[in-house]
Amino acid sequence: MLADLKGSINKIRLNEYEGIFAVYEAVVNSIQSESKNIQVVLKKKANPQLSLDGEIEEIIDEIEIIDDGQGFTKENFESFKKINSTHKIKMGGKGVGRLSWLAIFEEVTVESTYKESGKYYIRKFKFDLENEIREIENVESNIKKEETKITLKTPTQKYIKHLPETADEMCEKILYHCLGYLIEGVFEITIRDGLNSCKCKEKYRNELEKDVKTKKFELKEYDFEILHIPISKNKLQNHEVAFTANAREVKRRKLEKVNELLRVPLTIDGEEKNILAYVKGKYLDENVTEDRNDFLFSNVKGSLFLKEKDILMEVAKELIEIYDEEINKVIEINKQKIEDFLKENPYYNSLYMRDNSILKDINPKSSEEEIETKFELFARNKRKETSNFIKNIELKGNYQEKLKNALVNIESLNQYELAKYVIHRKVITEVLEKILQKRAEDDRYHYEEDLHNLIFPMKKSNLEINYDDHNLWLIDDRLAYNKFLTSDKVNKKIIEESNSNSRIDIATVFDQNITFSDRSEIDDEHSNILIIEFKRPGREDFSVSELNNQVLGYVEDLKDKKIKTDRGQRIEVNRNSIFNIFIICEITSNLEKDLKRSGYKAMIEGQGFYTFNENYNALIQVISLNKVLKDSKLRNKVFFKKLGL
């Protein structure tokens, strides 16, 4: 051959499932040689190495492709001997297709009876890697009939397992690969396997012809045409696009990742079917690769080549328009799925009512997690889109209408955020309720740290966590507005000039606009200090004097000192500061008696006691765990009810 045969074959990139490409090349060559009758004969041999339980399995040994076309005339034979021949360039030939024969099979033999200058000749030759093309004979023939037989011998181990072994299987493969030719051609391709036979053209007429439709579209000034066929999902598992070049299938891509509505079969004529769409166009004809298993697509912005994704998205768009009636059925299923989802996740209602485009962005098989992800992505994109619009708004033209839409977007996003936060509060109150109950596994109450971490993470400060990471609102909504908050840290590490190793469960410094007292004459910038002390549910081994000594000890440690924040800021606590102390515990009958004897007053609504210690400017409130739960439910009841929780 007039080039490096082995080097050229080594450049061919095929995976183990693409061994059938050698057969495709031979069949298409037969079609292009103006054949009217083409036969593909599968010949098998026993493979003892793969025998199971004494049963001999059979594998493909040879595949014959026989046709009545022009054959290997002198011109065709000379072209065959040249790699990268331009002999068939007008038909999309690259001059390298036959090299796939030797990439997949060890040897090829050819016998061709052809007519030239009014006489018939028979040409025989072998084609292999060692001898390249070795002509055996080329003599005048007594047979006055054109016929060429190409025998592909001994497939290599890489491909042998995945070659079609039956006439029906091979027929199906060739039918869809050569569909463009079969639709317009007047030839027949017959497949035989020794037991059965199958005719491709006949199969096309019986199964596909009545359903084949076409649609043209334009993409970036290039013209394309879609040939689409609904096929039973038993034969085609997904909606697929077959890219073709010069009437031949090159490769397929699934549409399930291109458009959510095409992730499920469509119900057509009472049967679930997937769409097979063949795409053809001059661009594809001119940009198919030499080994004819891909195209010169680009992923680079500004490239002269089209992107594969652009074509896939346009095909998906066209198919959705073509099969709009069937697609609407999918959307109706999606609608019911969304409505069911919103019953459990009502905080997305405002987004859905504003824009229901998510109906086209899920499929009937989407899980709740996937739907939630779609809503979150939608909210994020809307927030970004609205923010960019407000930031770059130009007060000219029809800006009022655009501004109105932006404000509506903001309103729906705010409603979504608020609803989501209310759901969060509902979940937290349910968790608190469980913490107050005995554990099922050992009939003991939960530890104090479980309660503490739910309300505010231990050993953290407000400078180390996000607003959503604490639940101080369980005690009082005003607690969220603090200057500095620290939790369960050793006093001497947060209080200057302190040597105490005690740990305040929660200590908070408030700005002047937050107060728990009517002592309005105190206007120091940081005059309000909050202390929260937790006691484990079910714990009864403490007295009022012990509680007082503990929390007032904290006050003594804080007075006339400076609190050090994690960022090095110093906050002065003067002697006139008011201390608001919450002791959250289980109020037993004994503790209740002890509180009354110690001068504590009962709260009006019950489940709590309070006293004011003038010596320390300290308001001490002893609140039952059940009261915290009850009050948090009451404060949020109207919000829960509004969302149907």
Side-chain angles (χ1 to χ4, degrees):
M1 298 187 81
L2 302 182
D4 177 15
L5 178 61
K6 289 184 178 179
S8 297
I9 289 175
N10 286 336
K11 292 178 182 178
I12 295 175
R13 297 288 181 263
L14 297 172
N15 65 47
E16 60 194 81
Y17 296 94
E18 294 177 324
I20 195 173
F21 271 41
V23 181
Y24 292 158
E25 287 296 333
V27 169
V28 171
N29 283 343
S30 295
I31 294 171
Q32 292 177 342
S33 69
E34 300 179 4
S35 301
K36 295 294 182 289
N37 295 286
I38 302 168
Q39 298 181 59
V40 178
V41 182
L42 308 180
K43 294 187 175 181
K44 302 179 184 179
K45 69 174 183 180
N47 183 12
Q49 292 181 346
L50 298 178
S51 61
L52 297 172
D53 301 327
E55 294 186 9
I56 304 300
E57 292 188 26
E58 291 188 326
I59 56 173
I60 293 293
D61 183 37
E62 296 181 356
I63 299 178
E64 294 179 347
I65 297 91
I66 306 167
D67 68 57
D68 56 2
Q70 294 175 353
F72 280 85
T73 63
K74 181 179 180 180
E75 181 183 4
N76 289 342
F77 185 56
E78 290 301 318
S79 171
F80 184 87
K81 291 192 292 182
K82 297 177 183 177
I83 296 177
N84 297 313
S85 168
T86 60
H87 184 57
K88 294 184 180 180
I89 195 166
K90 291 184 178 179
M91 293 182 283
K94 297 284 186 178
V96 296
R98 67 210 182 274
L99 299 185
S100 67
W101 298 351
L102 294 186
I104 297 163
F105 292 85
E106 293 183 5
E107 182 184 73
V108 179
T109 62
V110 179
E111 295 182 14
S112 179
T113 301
Y114 61 93
K115 185 178 182 181
E116 199 162 48
S117 301
K119 295 182 179 181
Y120 286 88
Y121 298 86
I122 182 168
R123 186 190 302 277
K124 297 181 181 180
F125 63 90
K126 288 186 177 181
F127 183 35
D128 60 43
L129 282 176
E130 293 302 320
N131 302 301
E132 298 191 357
I133 296 175
R134 182 162 59 91
E135 190 170 23
I136 298 172
E137 68 174 340
N138 181 32
V139 297
E140 195 169 337
S141 173
N142 294 324
I143 301 173
K144 309 302 180 183
K145 177 185 177 183
E146 292 175 315
E147 182 179 276
T148 296
K149 179 170 72 173
I150 296 171
T151 306
L152 308 175
K153 297 184 175 183
T154 316
T156 60
Q157 288 299 314
K158 176 180 177 179
Y159 302 102
I160 196 168
K161 293 181 181 179
H162 301 291
L163 286 170
E165 296 182 350
T166 66
D168 286 340
E169 188 181 359
M170 182 66 79
C171 189
E172 187 97 355
K173 297 283 188 181
I174 293 176
L175 167 63
Y176 288 110
H177 182 81
C178 299
L179 189 61
Y181 287 115
L182 287 163
I183 289 173
E184 300 174 356
V186 290
F187 56 87
E188 181 62 277
I189 305 173
T190 304
I191 319 296
R192 306 182 191 280
D193 63 10
L195 296 174
N196 301 299
S197 65
C198 178
K199 296 180 181 292
C200 291
K201 186 77 172 185
E202 183 179 291
K203 186 177 180 70
Y204 162 71
R205 285 173 176 158
N206 292 339
E207 297 180 9
L208 302 177
E209 188 174 36
K210 64 181 178 60
D211 295 321
V212 173
K213 301 288 188 301
T214 60
K215 176 74 182 294
K216 294 181 179 180
F217 70 91
E218 185 179 302
L219 181 61
K220 295 183 179 179
E221 300 182 356
Y222 292 101
D223 293 324
F224 293 90
E225 185 175 15
I226 305 171
L227 185 152
H228 52 94
I229 319 162
I231 298 174
S232 171
K233 75 169 186 178
N234 297 325
K235 292 185 176 181
L236 186 69
Q237 301 300 312
N238 304 92
H239 300 291
E240 294 182 1
V241 172
F243 289 91
T244 68
N246 305 290
R248 303 167 61 178
E249 180 179 328
V250 175
K251 68 174 184 178
R252 292 193 186 187
R253 288 290 181 265
K254 295 177 181 178
L255 283 172
E256 59 180 8
K257 293 183 179 179
V258 180
N259 191 293
E260 284 286 337
L261 295 175
L262 296 175
R263 277 185 174 268
V264 293
L266 303 180
T267 302
I268 301 174
D269 298 329
E271 183 183 0
E272 288 191 326
K273 296 182 179 182
N274 287 307
I275 309 302
L276 177 57
Y278 289 85
V279 183
K280 64 180 182 178
K282 186 177 179 181
Y283 178 86
L284 297 176
D285 293 342
E286 294 177 347
N287 289 286
V288 65
T289 57
E290 282 195 350
D291 47 12
R292 211 179 277 109
N293 65 356
D294 209 341
F295 294 91
L296 299 175
F297 290 128
S298 172
N299 292 319
V300 180
K301 188 175 182 180
S303 171
L304 296 175
F305 297 113
L306 290 176
K307 294 180 181 179
E308 178 181 284
K309 183 180 179 181
D310 292 340
I311 298 177
L312 287 171
M313 290 180 68
E314 188 62 32
V315 172
K317 176 185 172 184
E318 296 290 340
L319 292 179
I320 287 171
E321 290 180 3
I322 293 167
Y323 295 93
D324 61 332
E325 184 177 335
E326 291 77 12
I327 289 294
N328 283 334
K329 295 176 184 177
V330 175
I331 292 175
E332 281 301 311
I333 298 173
N334 288 351
K335 185 177 180 181
Q336 184 59 53
K337 198 172 187 69
I338 289 289
E339 290 175 357
D340 292 342
F341 172 81
L342 291 175
K343 290 177 184 177
E344 300 296 324
N345 303 273
Y347 42 89
Y348 292 115
N349 264 314
S350 62
L351 297 177
Y352 182 65
M353 291 172 65
R354 168 65 178 155
D355 186 340
N356 66 359
S357 59
I358 194 173
L359 289 173
K360 298 180 181 180
D361 204 25
I362 65 166
N363 68 80
K365 294 181 179 179
S366 294
S367 65
E368 285 200 3
E369 291 77 11
E370 289 170 332
I371 295 174
E372 184 169 19
T373 299
K374 294 288 185 182
F375 268 116
E376 290 294 333
L377 180 62
F378 175 81
R380 189 160 60 248
N381 290 339
K382 278 292 181 186
R383 195 178 294 111
K384 184 177 180 180
E385 172 191 321
T386 304
S387 176
N388 288 338
F389 172 76
I390 297 297
K391 187 185 300 182
N392 302 307
I393 188 172
E394 294 183 4
L395 303 180
K396 59 182 181 180
N398 188 28
Y399 78 90
Q400 294 95 338
E401 187 64 28
K402 294 179 181 179
L403 180 59
K404 180 180 178 182
N405 288 333
L407 293 175
V408 172
N409 280 338
I410 291 172
E411 182 182 356
S412 62
L413 286 168
N414 288 341
Q415 290 174 0
Y416 150 72
E417 295 289 357
L418 176 59
K420 193 173 182 181
Y421 184 65
V422 171
I423 296 289
H424 167 78
R425 286 196 168 195
K426 174 65 174 175
V427 171
I428 294 300
T429 55
E430 291 176 352
V431 173
L432 175 61
E433 191 163 13
K434 289 182 179 180
I435 287 177
L436 301 186
Q437 298 169 1
K438 288 184 177 180
R439 295 182 300 215
E441 62 269 23
D442 57 10
D443 198 36
R444 299 181 66 183
Y445 285 101
H446 290 266
Y447 291 106
E448 177 186 319
E449 65 184 42
D450 297 323
L451 175 64
H452 191 146
N453 282 320
L454 178 68
I455 294 176
F456 196 97
M458 296 175 70
K459 296 180 172 57
K460 297 288 185 181
S461 76
N462 63 331
L463 303 179
E464 298 176 88
I465 66 170
N466 295 320
Y467 175 81
D468 292 339
D469 293 334
H470 72 73
N471 298 292
L472 289 166
W473 55 268
L474 284 167
I475 301 172
D476 194 300
D477 283 290
R478 294 173 293 178
L479 300 186
Y481 302 95
N482 54 68
K483 181 73 175 179
F484 175 68
L485 187 149
T486 183
S487 171
D488 199 49
K489 294 192 176 186
V490 177
N491 288 0
K492 64 183 180 182
K493 290 186 177 182
I494 63 170
I495 304 172
E496 286 191 354
E497 301 176 13
S498 173
N499 296 315
S500 173
N501 288 314
S502 298
R503 299 173 186 266
I504 304 176
D505 281 350
I506 295 179
T508 305
V509 180
F510 288 95
D511 289 329
Q512 61 181 11
N513 58 329
I514 305 296
T515 181
F516 290 82
S517 167
D518 58 3
R519 298 279 300 274
S520 58
E521 70 275 8
I522 299 176
D523 57 2
D524 183 80
E525 185 179 0
H526 306 298
S527 59
N528 296 287
I529 309 296
L530 170 76
I531 294 173
I532 301 176
E533 177 65 28
F534 297 107
K535 297 300 179 186
R536 179 181 179 179
R539 183 178 172 184
E540 301 179 12
D541 59 342
F542 50 82
S543 64
V544 173
S545 62
E546 289 173 332
L547 290 177
N548 286 340
N549 288 337
Q550 182 179 9
V551 296
L552 292 177
Y554 297 153
V555 174
E556 290 171 349
D557 213 18
L558 284 165
K559 270 187 180 269
D560 292 327
K561 302 287 191 351
K562 292 180 180 178
I563 296 176
K564 297 177 292 186
T565 72
D566 295 343
R567 295 176 183 171
Q569 181 185 5
R570 285 167 169 75
I571 301 174
E572 186 173 349
V573 181
N574 64 47
R575 66 173 53 254
N576 292 320
S577 295
I578 295 178
F579 290 84
N580 299 278
I581 301 170
F582 286 91
I583 300 173
I584 299 174
C585 61
E586 185 168 329
I587 300 179
T588 63
S589 58
N590 288 334
L591 181 60
E592 182 177 344
K593 292 176 183 177
D594 199 2
L595 286 165
K596 290 177 179 178
R597 293 190 193 110
S598 301
Y600 279 78
K601 297 180 180 179
M603 293 180 178
I604 296 175
E605 67 276 18
Q607 293 191 314
F609 294 83
Y610 70 94
T611 188
F612 184 77
N613 189 311
E614 293 187 3
N615 293 326
Y616 289 91
N617 278 348
L619 174 65
I620 305 174
Q621 301 180 66
V622 181
I623 301 174
S624 74
L625 292 164
N626 287 329
K627 176 176 172 58
V628 172
L629 175 64
K630 178 184 175 183
D631 287 355
S632 63
K633 283 184 175 180
L634 285 174
R635 290 196 309 273
N636 292 280
K637 183 177 180 181
V638 65
F639 300 113
F640 295 163
K641 187 175 181 180
K642 191 72 174 177
L643 288 178
L645 300 175

